Amino acid sequence: MSQSRTFTLNTEPHVATVGETQLLFQPEVMGDEFLDAYEALQESQKNLGVDVNNLAAADPENLRAVVRSLRLFLARLMLPESAQTFARWEVVKSGKAVSSHATPGEAAEAAAKVKGDATVKDVGMRLPDRVLVELLEWAVELYGGGQRPTGLSSGSVQASPPPGTRGRAVSPSKASTRARGR
């Protein structure tokens, strides 16, 4: 006997509301797209030599680079309009924006081609680190099959067992001698 099964694809964007801004994430991401973005995030952190479980020992410039890589990872999963709001770098000359770019590398290349002094300015969405980590964990749950990333949370520990869990010891009442004749 043959079997039939219907699979549903998400067609509506996932929405992350941050303050008054709604960031729209792709409804579906193919596995390799997610894995490529996640691998790039991990590789950038590894190259910087930052132990995300011991941030106190990290160089502040390396920490900034980790945050940039996190923002770029999240932007890769967003719809273009939201990605442009979330992560954007402008080339600025004489106080005026000359061009806008999705990565700081692209902006640096463009700035190098501008005659005269041009700088790169981060004009993306500014968020506290805790919100970036929460967005990361949410995105990984959406696209990564519910598995959280390892080492990126702020020192989470496994939950304690629920209260009232019994141990294996024998209770004194059961260990006592039974009364005979009953």
Side-chain angles (χ1 to χ4, degrees):
M1 184 158 54
S2 69
Q3 294 185 6
S4 176
R5 185 168 180 176
T6 302
F7 295 89
T8 305
L9 296 175
N10 293 325
T11 57
E12 295 296 317
H14 300 287
V15 179
T17 304
V18 181
E20 295 184 15
T21 303
Q22 286 193 333
L23 299 171
L24 303 178
F25 285 76
Q26 297 177 45
E28 293 283 354
V29 173
M30 302 307 128
D32 57 340
E33 290 176 72
F34 171 77
L35 292 174
D36 289 347
Y38 190 67
E39 184 178 43
L41 172 65
Q42 287 184 320
E43 190 65 30
S44 68
Q45 292 174 354
K46 187 169 142 186
N47 289 341
L48 293 167
V50 174
D51 177 6
V52 292
N53 292 317
N54 182 17
L55 296 178
D59 174 48
E61 193 54 40
N62 285 350
L63 286 176
R64 286 183 188 90
V66 167
V67 170
R68 267 192 307 274
S69 69
L70 178 54
R71 289 173 59 205
L72 290 170
F73 167 77
L74 291 167
R76 284 179 71 172
L77 301 174
M78 292 178 186
L79 293 180
E81 310 82 44
S82 291
Q84 189 176 32
T85 298
F86 184 74
R88 188 175 78 233
W89 287 264
E90 289 182 346
V91 175
V92 178
K93 181 179 177 184
S94 303
K96 293 185 180 183
V98 176
S99 59
S100 181
H101 304 273
T103 70
E106 291 172 3
E109 286 179 24
K113 294 176 184 175
V114 173
K115 293 182 182 179
D117 287 337
T119 59
V120 174
K121 183 177 180 181
D122 182 348
V123 294
M125 192 172 181
R126 308 289 297 165
L127 294 172
D129 292 343
R130 68 173 176 77
V131 174
L132 288 173
V133 170
E134 288 177 35
L135 280 170
L136 169 69
E137 290 175 345
W138 180 69
V140 169
E141 288 173 11
L142 284 175
Y143 304 120
Q147 298 178 7
R148 290 183 167 212
T150 57
L152 289 176
S153 67
S154 54
S156 326
V157 291
Q158 200 161 359
S160 302
T165 303
R166 295 181 170 256
R168 299 193 191 280
V170 177
S171 74
S173 62
K174 288 184 180 175
S176 63
T177 308
R178 295 181 68 181
R180 294 201 180 250
R182 292 193 186 183

